[in-house]
């Protein structure tokens, strides 16, 4: 068991057994499957790759043509249900027991990573691992009424080596003052500045998921129409407290669902401009991820390069940490993509060499711990009082001492130091501790008294304060070697006054004034008196200081304060950001309702079709839910009628008298048939209610899909409308594919104001354009 500290909290982690990372392969369905090059094993856990030799290399070449990979499972033509049951169900189930889990999708662009992780929006059955994991978590919470379980979620995006919060667009999330950073502590790695949202029910979690999916960055190229241009990490945080036990322990866990961006070959994707830059960052981060995996698989390596990129740094505690790690490698089954498929399978085989150590994360509730300790303290006090009474020690008090008792101990300590008290009586442990504490108090008071007496006579200067020593040398009270000017008093203190006009090292020939003679004689009397000699013997507080005669205290303090003030002056920042002027929008575009109808029939026809299909599915689910509700109400009424008839038969049997045969109650056939009918009706009621519950979940999910399609349709319409009617033709060239600005990136108002500015500059004379 490991123990971690974080402020006032303590965390304990039960050590688990080491296990290998699970790696699965999912093959994208295709009509052009390379049967002669890709073959599966009989156990459905191995895959063999055969690559034909390149005849252009000559007759003699050492090119490898055959590879065999042993994995935990090969998913070919598998449904989304089968993928989730095989890959993620166990990891999500163990998360509620305190084990961290990580599920990662890796592979070539367009191979189906996002489909595996998130799913498709057209059909409810095509939902991916992420929404199914959320549904499983909340279903398991309902099955554990003995625990109070809290669920929180966060959604992180890594785009071009920058961290973004996909849930920062929510209205109750305030703007971040500082950029997000990756921070490490003894409990693991977390993202500073990433918003974490509490979800009390399944619908809230789905709303956050849809919000984050809307903010993801995608692009189109020859390999994939909707290619993810960033790595996304959706994290589910679980915290479980026991309702029945008063134990201060509780468990925490988190599930990381990672959707990596796909690796790309620029020759095949044909990326240009911004998409090319994104592909460069994606390939670079995936290369660093592979390097970290190779280092984790090598048992002789001590250093793992996690900090090479943001992706590996954020997943530091998930790659080879204390969690259940599952990798899903998505590959193509076509011969044209065989090289990229081979590279992805090599990555999966390297991942299987990595070992993790899943462990239960336990924390201690400080408030419950304090209450339990208070109960234990009360019991110990009662037990101690029993022992004292048996030992005839009835006057012993174990409560904290009050001010009167502390003052009495202080008086005893002072009398003991003065010699008027021979010994101090020992009563209990608290009294012993307070005696030593009062010794410290008396010693500190004596030191302060000695220092105050010295300050009344001299000026104390720290030997390490070079500014003060320089000021004293300028004043003529110390020579160049650091010795005080004046007469030594026998205790390493130079006493006397030197005029400011005399430099250190020269002889003093001037006569003393009457005031200086008086102060010098007073100091000599003070130095030779027994009281001052006693003060100087207590030297710890002034061992690192020089003593300067107090007759020049005012001048020296003024000089030191001037030196410190001149060295502490700092320039103040200036320049405040100016407000931007609000641009003027043109008034010539056609009405938006008319343009919207044209958009739905032309450019937005595909999105509008998907929107209508989703809406029809939603209406069909609602209709089925209404019919199921009517059937449930009818069954409930029939159950009530049957219960009344059964109660009538029971009362009639009781009036006629009960008959028993060998201890068994005898009932007539009519009552028996009513009992069987009631049992069947209750079974039908439970089945219909379960169906209604599933339909409600489907309706909620389909409603989110409809809202998402509607928002996407409106967003695409705005971009099309601005491109067609609002943005001037002179600016259209800056918004073409491959340029540095894409539609939707810059507000239309900014573009229009830029156009107005350019027209104004063209109309000005040449001398006024600068």
């Amino acid at each position: 068991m490991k123990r971690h500290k974080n402020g006032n909290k303590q965390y304990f982690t039960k050590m688990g057994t080491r296990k290998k990372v699970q790696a699965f392969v999912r093959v994208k369905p295709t009509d052009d499957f390379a049967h002669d090059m890709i073959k599966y094993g009989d156990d459905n856990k191995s895959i063999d790759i055969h690559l034909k030799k390149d005849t252009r290399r000559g007759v003699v070449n050492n090119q490898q043509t055959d590879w065999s990979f042993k994995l935990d499972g090969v998913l070919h033509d598998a449904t989304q249900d089968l993928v989730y049951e095989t890959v993620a169900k166990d990891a999500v189930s163990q998360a509620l027991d305190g084990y961290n889990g990580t599920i990662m999708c890796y592979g070539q662009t367009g191979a189906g990573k996002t489909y595996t992780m998130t799913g498709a929006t057209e059909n409810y059955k095509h939902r991916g691992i992420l929404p199914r994991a959320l549904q499983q978590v909340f279903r398991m919470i309902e099955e554990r009424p003995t625990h109070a379980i809290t669920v929180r979620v966060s959604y992180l995006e890594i785009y071009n080596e920058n961290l973004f919060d996909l849930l920062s667009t929510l209205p109750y999330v305030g703007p971040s003052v500082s950029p997000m950073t990756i921070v490490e502590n003894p409990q693991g790695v977390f993202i500073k500045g990433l918003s974490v949202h509490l979800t009390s029910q399944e619908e809230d979690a789905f709303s956050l998921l849809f919000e984050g999916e809307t903010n993801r960055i995608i692009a189109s190229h020859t390999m994939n129409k909707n290619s993810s241009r960033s790595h996304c990490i959706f994290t589910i945080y679980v915290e479980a407290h026991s309702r029945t036990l008063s134990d201060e322990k509780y468990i925490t866990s988190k599930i990381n669902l990672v959707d990596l961006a796909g690796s790309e070959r620029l020759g095949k994707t044909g990326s240009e401009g911004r998409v090319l830059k994104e592909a460069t960052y994606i390939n670079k981060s995936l290369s660093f991820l592979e390097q970290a995996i190779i280092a984790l698989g090598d048992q002789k390596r001590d250093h793992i390069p996690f900090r090479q990129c943001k992706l590996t740094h954020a997943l530091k505690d998930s790659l080879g940490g204390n969690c259940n790690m599952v990798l899903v490698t998505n590959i193509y089954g076509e011969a044209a993509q065989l090289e990229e498929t081979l590279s992805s399978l090599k990555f999966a085989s390297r991942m299987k060499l990595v070992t993790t150590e899943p462990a239960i994360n336990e924390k201690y509730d400080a408030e419950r711990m304090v209450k339990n300790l208070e109960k234990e303290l009360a019991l110990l006090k009662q037990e101690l009082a029993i022992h004292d009474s048996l030992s005839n020690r009835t006057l012993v008090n174990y409560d904290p001492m009050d001010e009167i008792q502390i003052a009495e101990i202080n008086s005893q300590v002072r009398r003991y130091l003065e010699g008027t008290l021979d010994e101090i009586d020992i009563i209990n442990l608290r009294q012993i501790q307070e005696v030593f504490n009062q010794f410290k108090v008396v010693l500190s008071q004596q030191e302060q008294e000695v220092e105050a007496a010295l300050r009344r006579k001299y000026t104390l200067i720290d030997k390490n304060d070079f500014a003060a020593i320089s000021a004293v040398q300028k004043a003529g009270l110390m020579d160049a070697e650091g010795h005080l000017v004046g007469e030594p008093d026998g205790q390493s203190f130079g006493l006397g006054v030197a005029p400011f006009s005399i430099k250190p090292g020269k002889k003093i020939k001037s006569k003393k004034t009457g005031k200086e003679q008086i102060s010098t004689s007073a100091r000599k009397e003070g130095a030779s008196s027994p009281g001052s000699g006693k003060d100087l013997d207590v030297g710890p507080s002034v061992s690192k200081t020089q003593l300067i005669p107090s007759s020049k205290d005012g001048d020296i303090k003024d000089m030191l304060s001037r030196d410190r003030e001149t060295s502490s002056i700092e320039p103040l920042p200036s320049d405040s950001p100016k407000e931007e002027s609000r641009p003027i929008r043109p008034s010539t575009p056609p009405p938006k309702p008319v343009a919207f109808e044209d958009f739905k029939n032309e450019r937005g026809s595909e999105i509008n079709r998907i929107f209508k299909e989703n809406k029809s599915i939603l209406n069909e689910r609602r209709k089925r839910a209404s019919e199921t509700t009517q059937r449930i109400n009818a069954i409930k009424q029939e159950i009530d009628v049957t219960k009344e008839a059964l109660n009538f038969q029971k009362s009639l049997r009781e009036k006629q008298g009960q008959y028993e045969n060998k201890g068994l109650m005898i009932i007539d056939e009519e009552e028996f048939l009513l009992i069987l009918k009631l049992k069947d009706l209750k079974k039908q009621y439970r089945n219909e209610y379960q169906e209604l519950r599933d339909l409600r979940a489907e309706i909620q999910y389909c409603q989110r899909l409809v809202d998402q399609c509607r928002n996407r349709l409106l967003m695409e319409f705005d971009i099309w409308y601005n491109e067609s009617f609002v943005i001037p033709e002179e600016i259209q060239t800056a918004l073409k594919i491959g340029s540095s600005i894409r539609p939707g990136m810059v507000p239309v108002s900014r573009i229009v104001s830029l156009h107005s500015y350019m027209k104004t500059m063209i109309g000005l004379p040449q001398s006024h354009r600068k």
Side-chain angles (χ1 to χ4, degrees):
M1 181 177 287
K2 291 183 179 179
R3 178 181 179 183
H4 312 285
K5 289 185 177 180
N6 182 13
N8 297 326
K9 295 183 178 180
Q10 293 182 347
Y11 305 83
F12 292 85
T13 304
K14 289 185 178 180
M15 300 299 292
T17 57
R18 300 186 68 85
K19 60 183 293 188
K20 296 288 185 180
V21 172
Q22 289 185 308
F24 297 87
V25 172
R26 188 179 190 185
V27 185
K28 185 176 181 180
T30 178
D31 296 331
D32 191 16
F33 187 80
H35 294 281
D36 55 339
M37 297 181 179
I38 302 175
K39 295 183 179 180
Y40 307 129
D42 296 333
D43 57 351
N44 209 23
K45 291 186 178 181
S46 61
I47 182 170
D48 298 330
I49 305 295
H50 174 71
L51 188 65
K52 296 180 181 180
K53 281 193 175 183
D54 190 0
T55 57
R56 293 175 296 178
R57 296 186 179 182
V59 179
V60 179
N61 61 55
N62 297 322
Q63 179 186 1
Q64 186 177 354
T65 59
D66 295 291
W67 290 267
S68 180
F69 301 93
K70 183 71 174 178
L71 304 166
D72 293 289
V74 178
L75 302 171
H76 181 63
D77 290 336
T79 62
Q80 294 283 66
D81 292 334
L82 179 60
V83 171
Y84 183 78
E85 292 287 331
T86 307
V87 172
K89 186 175 182 180
D90 292 337
V92 175
S93 177
Q94 293 183 18
L96 269 73
D97 296 328
Y99 292 93
N100 293 336
T102 299
I103 303 170
M104 181 187 300
C105 289
Y106 174 89
Q108 185 185 1
T109 180
K113 298 179 300 301
T114 303
Y115 178 76
T116 301
M117 181 57 67
T118 307
T121 59
E122 289 81 7
N123 197 332
Y124 177 74
K125 294 182 179 180
H126 294 167
R127 66 193 190 280
I129 293 176
L130 212 162
R132 293 173 186 269
L134 287 173
Q135 187 178 29
Q136 181 183 351
V137 167
F138 284 97
R139 290 288 173 86
M140 294 181 66
I141 290 175
E142 293 179 359
E143 297 172 0
R144 300 189 180 189
T146 58
H147 288 77
I149 302 177
T150 305
V151 179
R152 294 178 174 86
V153 298
S154 65
Y155 212 172
L156 173 69
E157 182 183 49
I158 304 176
Y159 173 71
N160 290 352
E161 280 301 293
N162 293 317
L163 303 177
F164 296 95
D165 186 3
L166 292 177
L167 301 180
S168 61
T169 56
L170 293 172
Y172 56 87
V173 179
S176 179
V177 179
S178 58
M180 291 190 296
T181 56
I182 302 175
V183 182
E184 297 184 35
N185 60 12
Q187 288 73 50
V189 178
F190 71 96
I191 311 300
K192 184 179 180 181
L194 180 64
S195 61
V196 181
H197 304 263
L198 178 66
T199 57
S200 58
Q201 55 186 351
E202 187 177 347
E203 291 79 9
D204 298 338
F206 281 126
S207 299
L208 295 173
L209 172 60
F210 278 101
E211 179 71 18
E213 289 295 321
T214 305
N215 297 327
R216 288 189 63 174
I217 297 176
I218 60 174
S220 177
H221 52 71
T222 58
M223 295 292 293
N224 191 0
K225 183 179 179 181
N226 296 316
S227 174
S228 300
R229 314 310 296 163
S230 61
H231 310 294
C232 293
I233 304 174
F234 188 94
T235 306
I236 306 172
Y237 306 89
V238 181
E239 181 176 313
H241 295 260
S242 176
R243 298 179 189 270
T244 57
L245 302 177
S246 62
D247 194 3
E248 61 269 12
K249 289 191 300 184
Y250 65 98
I251 59 174
T252 62
S253 62
K254 65 179 180 179
I255 309 170
N256 290 322
L257 302 170
V258 186
D259 183 13
L260 298 176
S263 58
E264 299 181 8
R265 289 214 173 183
L266 302 180
K268 292 184 178 182
T269 59
S271 301
E272 295 178 358
R274 176 183 61 85
V275 182
L276 175 62
K277 179 183 177 182
E278 294 169 349
T280 304
Y281 276 105
I282 291 170
N283 291 339
K284 185 178 178 181
S285 61
L286 292 177
S287 177
F288 287 142
L289 174 63
E290 189 169 4
Q291 292 179 18
I293 295 303
I294 293 173
L296 286 169
D298 189 359
Q299 301 296 331
K300 298 179 181 179
R301 289 282 295 269
D302 294 329
H303 173 69
I304 310 298
F306 285 115
R307 293 176 177 265
Q308 286 184 323
C309 66
K310 299 290 181 61
L311 175 64
T312 55
H313 197 187
L315 296 176
K316 180 179 179 181
D317 57 348
S318 300
L319 302 173
N322 64 332
C323 67
N324 294 308
M325 177 73 185
V326 182
L327 174 71
V328 182
T329 303
N330 298 85
I331 63 174
Y332 281 93
E334 302 171 358
Q337 312 295 336
L338 198 59
E339 293 184 3
E340 289 79 10
T341 296
L342 191 60
S343 176
S344 299
L345 291 174
K346 288 180 180 179
F347 179 85
S349 63
R350 294 190 188 103
M351 181 64 82
K352 276 193 64 63
L353 299 176
V354 179
T355 59
T356 61
E357 193 173 355
I360 299 177
N361 301 306
E362 292 183 347
K363 294 183 181 180
Y364 282 80
D365 189 353
E367 188 175 352
R368 282 192 177 186
M369 186 182 294
V370 169
K371 291 181 179 179
N372 293 338
L373 289 176
E374 288 176 351
K375 291 180 180 178
E376 186 176 1
L377 180 62
L379 293 175
L380 290 175
K381 281 185 176 181
Q382 294 176 2
E383 186 175 355
L384 191 58
I386 294 174
H387 285 284
D388 289 338
S389 62
L390 294 176
S391 302
N392 294 325
R393 300 177 64 211
T394 56
L395 299 178
V396 180
N397 186 13
Y398 298 99
D399 294 330
M401 293 187 174
D402 54 15
E403 296 180 358
I404 298 175
Q405 293 173 333
I406 293 174
E408 177 61 26
I409 293 176
N410 184 277
S411 175
Q412 292 178 2
V413 169
R414 290 185 179 276
R415 284 183 290 155
Y416 180 80
L417 293 175
E418 292 172 358
T420 57
L421 184 64
D422 295 335
E423 61 182 14
I424 300 175
D425 295 332
I426 301 301
I427 301 175
N428 54 26
L429 182 61
R430 289 183 185 272
Q431 191 259 354
I432 296 174
Q433 293 176 345
E434 190 59 40
V435 167
F436 281 99
N437 186 34
Q438 292 304 317
F439 270 110
K440 288 173 60 178
V441 171
V442 172
L443 178 61
S444 177
Q445 291 176 354
Q446 290 182 354
E447 289 180 352
Q448 292 176 2
E449 292 173 359
V450 171
E451 185 175 353
L454 291 175
R455 288 185 182 278
R456 285 196 297 269
K457 298 179 182 179
Y458 312 106
T459 300
L460 278 66
I461 300 177
D462 192 349
K463 290 182 179 180
N464 297 324
D465 192 352
F466 299 105
I469 294 175
S470 175
V472 172
Q473 289 177 350
K474 290 179 181 178
L477 301 179
M478 181 181 291
D479 57 14
E481 297 179 357
H483 300 295
L484 296 174
V485 179
E487 300 177 1
D489 66 342
Q491 298 181 4
S492 301
F493 294 112
L495 306 178
V497 179
F500 286 100
S501 61
I502 299 177
K503 295 182 179 180
K506 294 184 179 182
K507 295 182 179 179
I508 301 174
K509 296 182 179 180
S510 60
K511 295 183 180 180
K512 300 179 180 179
T513 62
K515 184 185 293 185
E516 290 173 343
Q517 291 176 355
I518 294 172
S519 61
T520 304
S521 61
R523 289 190 183 88
K524 288 183 178 179
E525 291 176 0
S528 60
S529 63
S532 61
K534 183 180 179 181
D535 291 344
L536 292 174
D537 289 338
V538 187
S541 63
V542 294
S543 60
K544 295 184 180 180
T545 59
Q546 296 281 7
L547 298 180
I548 303 301
S550 61
S551 61
K552 298 291 182 180
D553 280 355
D555 297 335
I556 296 170
K557 290 179 180 178
D558 293 341
M559 196 179 300
L560 294 179
S561 63
R562 285 196 300 270
D563 291 341
R564 291 190 176 95
E565 288 175 359
T566 55
S567 63
S568 62
I569 298 174
E570 297 180 356
L572 295 175
S574 61
D575 298 336
S576 59
K578 298 180 180 179
E579 296 182 355
E580 299 180 355
S581 60
R582 298 186 64 182
I584 301 174
R585 296 175 62 89
S587 59
T588 55
K592 279 194 172 183
V594 178
F596 186 61
E597 295 298 328
D598 296 338
F599 172 76
K600 288 193 295 183
N601 296 327
E602 297 174 0
R603 183 171 173 178
S605 60
E606 182 64 19
I607 304 176
N608 190 35
R609 181 188 63 81
I610 296 175
F611 172 70
K612 289 181 177 179
E613 289 181 359
N614 289 338
K615 197 169 183 180
S616 63
I617 294 173
L618 176 61
N619 294 332
E620 190 270 336
R621 294 293 189 276
R622 286 177 174 173
K623 183 178 179 182
R624 286 176 52 187
S626 177
E627 293 174 354
T628 305
T629 304
Q630 294 177 2
R631 290 198 302 269
I632 289 175
N633 293 332
I635 293 173
K636 183 65 171 60
Q637 292 177 1
E638 193 171 356
I639 288 175
D640 295 338
V641 172
T642 306
K643 282 184 176 179
E644 291 180 0
L646 185 61
N647 292 332
F648 176 76
Q649 290 293 332
K650 286 183 179 179
S651 61
L652 186 62
R653 174 167 47 84
E654 290 175 357
K655 291 179 180 179
Q656 295 176 355
Q658 298 180 355
Y659 298 93
E660 294 184 0
N661 184 11
K662 298 181 180 179
L664 298 177
M665 186 68 63
I666 298 175
I667 59 177
D668 57 2
E669 183 179 0
E670 187 177 356
E671 186 176 354
F672 179 72
L673 293 176
L674 288 174
I675 293 173
L676 292 180
K677 182 180 179 181
L678 182 62
K679 184 177 180 181
D680 293 338
L681 288 173
K682 287 183 177 180
K683 184 178 180 180
Q684 293 178 17
Y685 182 84
R686 286 193 295 269
N687 294 336
E688 294 290 342
Y689 186 79
Q690 182 63 34
E691 183 179 356
L692 179 62
R693 185 179 178 183
D694 295 338
L695 284 173
R696 286 177 178 174
E698 292 183 13
I699 289 171
Q700 184 70 26
Y701 192 85
C702 293
Q703 182 66 49
R704 299 304 176 188
L705 295 180
V706 170
D707 295 340
Q708 186 180 19
C709 290
R710 181 185 293 110
N711 295 333
R712 180 68 181 275
L713 183 64
L714 294 175
M715 181 183 67
E716 294 289 341
F717 168 70
D718 288 338
I719 296 174
W720 172 80
Y721 186 81
N722 293 329
E723 287 179 350
S724 303
F725 305 110
V726 179
I727 301 176
E729 295 181 357
E730 294 84 355
I731 310 300
Q732 288 286 345
T733 56
L735 301 176
K736 291 183 178 179
I737 298 176
S739 63
S740 58
I741 303 176
R742 72 176 189 272
M745 231 176 130
V746 180
V748 179
S749 58
R750 296 284 183 89
I751 298 176
V752 175
S753 64
L754 176 62
H755 176 63
S756 303
Y757 174 76
M758 291 173 61
K759 291 175 64 178
T760 305
M761 293 299 294
I762 292 173
L764 289 174
Q766 186 69 23
S767 59
H768 292 79
R769 293 183 185 178
K770 295 184 179 179

